[in-house]
Amino acid sequence: MTDIKGFHHLTVGVAGAQEDVDFYVKLLGQSLIKKTVLLDGEDPIYHLYYGNAQGDAGTLVTSFPFRQIGVKARPGSGQIRVINYSVPAGALDFWRARFESQGIPFDKEVISRFGEQRQRFYHPCGIEFDLVASDKDDRPPCESPDIPAQFAIRGVHSITLSLREVHESIIFMKDALGFDYAGEHGPYHRFQVADGTPGTVVEFLHEPDRLQGSSIYGEGTIHHVAFAVDSVEQQLALKEKLFAMGHIDTSESVDRNYFRSMYFKMPGGVMFEAATTDIGFAIDEPADQLGSQFQTPSWLTDRKEELLQRLEPISV
Ligand SMILES: [Fe+2]
């Protein structure tokens, strides 16, 4: 039986590297817990991981800054549309004042859905984020010197998928991934796994008229979501289950250095991943110094300095 625990990470194609670091670290109080490289082609692209200081699964959002090689992705349906972060109830006024003072675009109205208040704001590359106020999140705060613990982000609350069709995708969430259907609100459908606390929630936004977006790596879209599983055995159990249902378009278990990944597309076209929690980020630097040095996977160690020279300099 596959046992999805909630989120592992989300991966986003952004524009510049420094503006991305400033967004997550300086604005949101996240820690840059790994600074490494994607090298699937000729040109190196940073792979930046942000989360709480421990790099816990469910707090992680990772970025590929694509401006350097000029690849843009097209936003649309069949994608994750919104990343929702969890903050304590009563924290939204603090964040609105912070967005105002730092010149971050945000919506003037707080909205409410499924009994939770939410504040929309925007990444410099245009990607939509919500802060969702919840008193049910007991994860440790992502504290920073100018963000008091009572307002600090706890981790990813949920994701909002944009889908043209929802019927098969609803069945998929329940029967393939073991989520419970938690309700409907206008065009929104909500699912939860485990106890339904922040970090375990997926929303569909049914947008039948929204044109399909691209699924390439590129600036301006959220490329995929990874759900957390314990081990490769769990990944393979999921792969077998997907095959038995006819979802045979799945990857092998791929080595991602800090975890292993198995990729599959859900019926609405969104790229999903099952990522293992059995390796972690302390394999190449001490747990209390995560993100301090540029890291390369073992097969690129002898090219580390050359690759770093070709990347935008960033400072935290
Ligand atoms: Fe991933």
Side-chain angles (χ1 to χ4, degrees):
M1 177 63 191
T2 305
D3 192 7
I4 287 174
K5 302 291 191 299
F7 298 113
H8 188 280
H9 65 269
L10 291 155
T11 293
V12 186
V14 300
Q18 185 64 54
E19 68 182 26
D20 191 63
V21 171
D22 291 346
F23 178 82
Y24 287 104
V25 179
K26 293 196 180 129
L27 175 69
L28 299 180
Q30 301 296 288
S31 300
L32 175 62
I33 62 111
K34 194 63 70 179
K35 192 165 41 172
T36 182
V37 69
L38 169 77
L39 191 66
D40 284 353
E42 278 295 298
D43 299 304
I45 292 290
Y46 274 122
H47 196 184
L48 305 173
Y49 290 71
Y50 308 95
N52 68 9
Q54 301 75 42
D56 291 333
T59 69
L60 303 168
V61 179
T62 86
S63 293
F64 294 128
F66 268 101
R67 179 172 290 159
Q68 186 156 348
I69 58 169
V71 180
K72 289 197 177 175
R74 186 181 66 251
S77 59
Q79 289 174 350
I80 301 159
R81 179 158 184 173
V82 189
I83 296 174
N84 307 298
Y85 273 127
S86 167
V87 295
L92 294 183
D93 283 346
F94 168 85
W95 286 99
R96 288 167 67 84
R98 190 170 173 85
F99 296 149
E100 181 83 52
S101 70
Q102 299 198 19
I104 301 298
F106 66 100
D107 287 2
K108 297 306 163 208
E109 256 181 67
V110 173
I111 63 157
S112 183
R113 189 159 73 238
F114 298 111
E116 294 164 328
Q117 287 204 308
R118 346 175 38 109
Q119 172 65 55
R120 172 65 47 90
F121 65 106
Y122 300 87
H123 186 281
C125 76
I127 286 175
E128 296 158 290
F129 282 74
D130 276 356
L131 292 175
V132 183
S134 171
D135 56 10
K136 296 194 177 72
D137 198 335
D138 58 8
R139 295 176 291 180
C142 301
E143 275 183 87
S144 70
D146 61 343
I147 304 175
Q150 79 252 38
F151 304 131
I153 287 173
R154 265 49 183 174
V156 173
H157 172 281
S158 53
I159 50 174
T160 307
L161 313 186
S162 171
L163 300 177
R164 291 190 75 144
E165 307 273 357
V166 296
H167 182 74
E168 283 88 4
S169 294
I170 290 173
I171 295 169
F172 185 85
M173 291 302 292
K174 294 194 287 189
D175 293 355
L177 300 188
F179 279 69
D180 296 320
Y181 188 78
E184 197 174 343
H185 181 110
Y188 291 92
H189 300 265
R190 181 170 167 130
F191 304 85
Q192 62 187 45
V193 73
D195 55 4
T197 51
T200 66
V201 175
V202 172
E203 285 183 339
F204 291 175
L205 170 55
H206 188 195
E207 298 188 284
D209 299 324
R210 192 164 192 238
L211 295 180
Q212 185 177 326
S214 58
S215 54
I216 58 168
Y217 282 144
E219 179 184 328
T221 62
I222 302 163
H223 185 264
H224 66 263
V225 56
F227 297 101
V229 295
D230 291 335
S231 61
V232 171
E233 288 70 33
Q234 293 265 306
Q235 271 179 342
L236 296 180
L238 176 58
K239 188 179 173 85
E240 268 183 38
K241 188 171 186 181
L242 295 173
F243 261 62
M245 295 174 74
H247 300 292
I248 57 178
D249 188 11
T250 72
S251 79
E252 299 304 315
S253 179
V254 182
D255 181 3
R256 293 303 189 201
N257 220 16
Y258 309 107
F259 45 86
R260 294 188 68 95
S261 299
M262 194 267 287
Y263 302 94
F264 53 102
K265 271 202 173 179
M266 54 90 81
V270 182
M271 183 62 79
F272 279 7
E273 172 187 343
T276 66
T277 52
D278 55 355
I279 304 175
F281 295 100
I283 59 162
D284 52 10
E285 55 194 343
D288 60 354
Q289 291 170 39
L290 293 179
S292 57
Q293 302 294 323
F294 180 62
Q295 302 294 340
T296 46
S298 57
W299 58 92
L300 292 172
T301 306
D302 56 344
R303 294 184 57 194
K304 189 170 181 169
E305 286 311 311
E306 172 226 325
L307 294 172
L308 195 53
Q309 291 300 317
R310 290 163 64 193
L311 290 162
E312 178 189 334
I314 51 174
S315 63
V316 176

